[in-house]
Amino acid sequence: MITWGIAPIGWRNDDIPEIGAGNTLQHLLSDIVVAGFEGTEVGGFFPEADVLNKELALRNLRIAGQWFSSFIIRDGVDSAKKAFTEHCAYLKKVNANVAVVSEQTYSIQGLTKNVFTEKPHFTEQEWAQLCEGLNELGTIADAHDLKLVYHHHLGTGVETLAEVDQLMAGTDPARVHLLYDTGHIFVAEGDYMALLEKHIDRIAHVHFKDVRKDVMVACKQEGLSFLQSFLKGMFTVPGDGCIDFVEVYNRLQKFGYSGWIVIEAEQDPAVANPLEYALIARKYIDENLLQAKIGERSI
């Protein structure tokens, strides 16, 4: 069974806290209800578990998971394990399903560097350290009834299909799963189906992020950073960009994917009204995905 959510990043962005700062938790959650989604992911500004659970219960919403920045290569696995254990304890209290992990050693996603040409790369020793560390974090996630899902991300050492291949080959499938993000892999590779086909058996969480191709091309030509690119409007919600989510959704359905699909689009809420874009995404889902047919069977 697929559960539909939408990320808080359209309302408030953890990377640039000043944008959308006036959008309260109550406002965000109520917008999510109006737009017809079943839940969200935890944002950096979310409150302690008891407070959040009350607000969720008032609106019959659920939590899918939360981002965790790991620094296994830079700081060592013991430091990461301590922080991740606290992270998972919080997620268990809010009844989440996944812990979203991204290795941020050498990451440029928050810097002014050209995200299209200056991404970091890991040495073979660093790859071994990362994969071993992720296996250990995966054990911690399992102990909290969570799945560790790794987020391939622009501007990091795990961005391209080849890098995802290396991560999947080096980690335990029982402990390290994959977060499949359509937007990130499309910008990185110009393709979003190859990763899906190759690693669909490892996918335990999905982000549907669309891309405005003309804006992406302009951002590449200007050599913009990740933050500059999303502020320019490179990302958007499904139905407003160039990605064919019918193809993606049908493949997930045929495989029997069960879990969250979370709509996510980094945009400036002062430019892209969060509720308006949540409704655009919901309309696209209802009209193009939930009405689709797989073979002879109606969804």
Side-chain angles (χ1 to χ4, degrees):
M1 178 177 145
I2 288 174
T3 306
W4 291 95
I6 188 164
I9 204 165
W11 284 262
R12 288 175 64 166
N13 193 294
D14 290 345
D15 290 326
I16 312 177
E18 59 270 23
I19 68 172
N23 290 326
T24 65
L25 175 71
Q26 292 81 359
H27 175 182
L28 182 157
L29 295 179
S30 294
D31 276 359
I32 289 172
V33 172
V34 171
F37 290 96
E38 298 168 76
T40 188
E41 294 180 350
V42 173
F45 62 95
F46 277 33
E48 62 189 44
D50 290 344
V51 175
L52 177 57
N53 284 336
K54 180 177 180 180
E55 296 294 341
L56 293 169
L58 289 170
R59 298 165 178 83
N60 195 29
L61 292 175
R62 294 169 52 198
I63 290 294
Q66 183 182 14
W67 172 282
F68 177 81
S69 293
S70 66
F71 292 91
I72 293 168
I73 294 170
R74 187 191 72 184
D75 299 337
V77 69
D78 288 342
S79 176
K81 284 167 65 176
K82 180 180 179 181
F84 190 65
T85 298
E86 295 175 1
H87 183 82
C88 289
Y90 175 87
L91 288 178
K92 185 174 178 63
K93 288 178 182 177
V94 298
N95 302 304
N97 301 101
V98 299
V100 178
V101 175
S102 174
E103 178 65 19
Q104 290 295 294
T105 299
Y106 313 134
S107 171
I108 65 166
Q109 68 185 69
L111 306 180
T112 57
K113 291 185 177 182
N114 184 335
V115 73
F116 305 100
T117 62
E118 298 185 73
K119 73 171 297 298
H121 299 275
F122 299 144
T123 66
E124 286 305 311
Q125 181 180 353
E126 288 170 338
W127 271 108
Q129 185 181 356
L130 174 61
C131 290
E132 181 181 345
L134 288 173
N135 284 337
E136 294 191 44
L137 296 190
T139 299
I140 294 170
D142 287 345
H144 290 82
D145 299 317
L146 297 161
K147 287 185 176 181
L148 184 159
V149 292
Y150 193 91
H151 193 335
H152 55 95
H153 199 288
L154 291 169
T156 73
V158 186
E159 173 186 311
T160 66
L161 177 57
E163 289 162 347
V164 174
D165 289 347
Q166 189 162 355
L167 188 83
M168 294 294 96
T171 53
D172 181 353
R175 291 185 285 172
V176 178
H177 311 274
L178 183 64
L179 186 162
Y180 169 63
D181 187 299
T182 53
H184 281 276
I185 198 62
F186 178 73
V187 175
E189 294 281 351
D191 176 36
Y192 46 87
M193 291 302 295
L195 187 152
L196 177 63
E197 293 289 352
K198 194 166 189 178
H199 297 296
I200 196 165
D201 60 327
R202 297 286 292 272
I203 294 170
H205 197 56
V206 174
H207 281 174
F208 272 10
K209 187 199 307 286
D210 213 340
V211 176
R212 296 184 178 101
K213 193 171 184 178
D214 58 337
V215 179
M216 179 188 74
V217 170
C219 290
K220 285 185 176 181
Q221 291 174 343
E222 294 177 43
L224 299 186
S225 70
F226 178 72
L227 300 184
Q228 289 168 333
S229 295
F230 89 66
L231 287 174
K232 196 175 180 71
M234 184 168 74
F235 296 126
T236 186
V237 298
D240 191 44
C242 65
I243 292 176
D244 180 6
F245 289 93
V246 174
E247 182 181 26
V248 176
Y249 183 73
N250 283 352
R251 185 66 187 93
L252 289 167
Q253 282 279 326
K254 284 182 180 179
F255 180 76
Y257 173 77
S258 179
W260 285 89
I261 296 179
V262 176
I263 305 302
E264 185 189 54
E266 292 94 334
Q267 299 193 84
D268 183 348
V271 176
N273 180 281
L275 177 57
E276 178 184 357
Y277 276 83
L279 290 167
I280 289 171
R282 184 74 249 183
K283 185 173 187 288
Y284 178 85
I285 292 165
D286 291 342
E287 295 181 357
N288 296 277
L289 305 185
L290 300 185
Q291 299 301 320
K293 290 182 184 265
I294 301 175
E296 298 300 317
R297 180 173 62 87
S298 295
I299 299 169

